[in-house]
């Protein structure tokens, strides 16, 4: 398996119940996975643990042969090869589109950086927007910059937290299809979190339903329909 998540357990300090209780998931290369669940079910916690923003109490996470976390290992977030798109996009407001995208590319040579900038802008169809500031972009465009920034360092895995929640209903419809095309074109393995079944059905190769920190269902979108 490309990404292997085994029996992750985690509780927030002072919480009465565990946020995640033996959460496991195996992901193939290039798959788009949706984690679907109600508010408070543990979706964001899965992403935070994968990204290395919290330390699990137990379990194991590996991407191919590289262990990110187990009882002996805790790989620092910047060494995990994971890109993240936050719910509010978290673009740096005082930086242009190009500067935002360069941010994660500090190890690259200048010519290489410029080439990569053009590649990711082409991918999200924002060529010519390098000098704009985030406030000069629509919500949908800001989201695409956030995706371009996350993809620029060529991560193994892309995580997206509620990628549609800040967009109005009409735009959501359009962006769902755009995002599906971007993810397929980039050939990136990705996990996105949503509370909206429609997002999951349109975008995901497989859906993981989560309830109270436990997996409730794993299957293809068409299998989920049979459950009802
Ligand atoms: P979701 O993303 O599905 O809304 P979360 O992963 O954010 O769910 O939360 C899972 C559980 O952990 C919930 O019960 C939530 O109240 C709790 N929780 C989340 N963040 C914190 C925190 N910083 N401190 C304490 N409890 C938290
Ligand atoms: P979208 O199709 O992504 O919703 P909009 O309809 O919101 O785009 O925006 C249309 C055009 O107006 C876009 O090219 C966008 O860059 C531009 N635009 C939107 N908001 C601003 C702004 N605050 N300042 C400058 N240009 C803007």
């Amino acid at each position: 398996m490309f990404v292997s998540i085994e029996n992750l357990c985690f509780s927030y300090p002072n919480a009465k119940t565990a946020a995640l209780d033996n959460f496991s998931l195996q992901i193939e290369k290039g798959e788009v996975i949706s984690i679907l669940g109600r508010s408070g079910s543990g979706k964001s916690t899965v992403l935070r643990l994968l990204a290395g923003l919290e330390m699990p109490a137990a379990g194991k996470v590996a991407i191919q042969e590289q262990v990110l976390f187990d009882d002996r290992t805790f790989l620092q977030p910047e060494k995990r090869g994971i890109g993240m798109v936050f719910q509010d996009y978290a673009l740096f407001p005082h930086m242009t589109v190009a500067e935002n995208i360069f941010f994660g590319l500090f190890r690259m040579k200048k010519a290489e950086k410029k080439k990569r900038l053009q590649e990711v802008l082409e991918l999200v169809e924002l060529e010519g927007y390098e000098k704009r500031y985030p406030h000069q972009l629509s919500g949908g465009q800001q989201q695409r910059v956030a995706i371009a920034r996350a993809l620029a360092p060529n991560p193994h895995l892309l995580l997206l937290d509620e990628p549609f929640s800040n967009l109005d209903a009409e735009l959501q419809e359009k962006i769902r299809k755009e995002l599906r095309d971007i993810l397929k074109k980039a050939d990136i393995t990705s996990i996105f979190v949503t509370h909206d079944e429609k997002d999951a059905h349109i975008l995901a190769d497989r859906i993981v339903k989560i309830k109270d920190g436990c997996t409730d269902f794993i299957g293809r979108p068409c299998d989920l329909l049979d459950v009802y």
Side-chain angles (χ1 to χ4, degrees), residues 7-11 49 55-59 69:
N7 299 306
L8 274 188
C9 297
F10 179 77
S11 297
L49 294 182
M55 168 95 81
F69 174 80

Side-chain angles (χ1 to χ4, degrees), residues 121-193:
L121 285 179
E122 191 181 325
L123 183 72
V124 299
E125 298 184 1
L126 283 179
E127 297 109 314
Y129 283 73
E130 329 24 17
K131 294 203 173 118
R132 297 245 199 152
Y133 286 88
H135 73 271
Q136 296 173 315
L137 300 170
S138 70
Q141 291 169 335
Q142 288 183 32
Q143 189 198 40
R144 270 141 63 198
V145 173
I147 293 168
R149 183 178 63 179
L151 288 174
N154 275 315
H156 303 300
L157 176 66
L158 181 69
L159 308 178
L160 304 109
D161 196 357
E162 296 275 0
F164 309 105
S165 61
N166 280 323
L167 305 170
D168 62 48
E170 200 180 322
L171 194 56
Q172 281 189 14
E173 197 75 31
K174 184 175 150 217
I175 301 278
R176 275 195 202 100
K177 296 195 187 90
E178 276 180 16
L179 184 60
R180 167 129 203 127
D181 292 345
I182 290 171
L183 295 177
K184 287 297 166 194
K185 215 161 46 161
D187 195 22
I188 179 93
T189 310
S190 56
I191 303 177
F192 78 98
V193 150

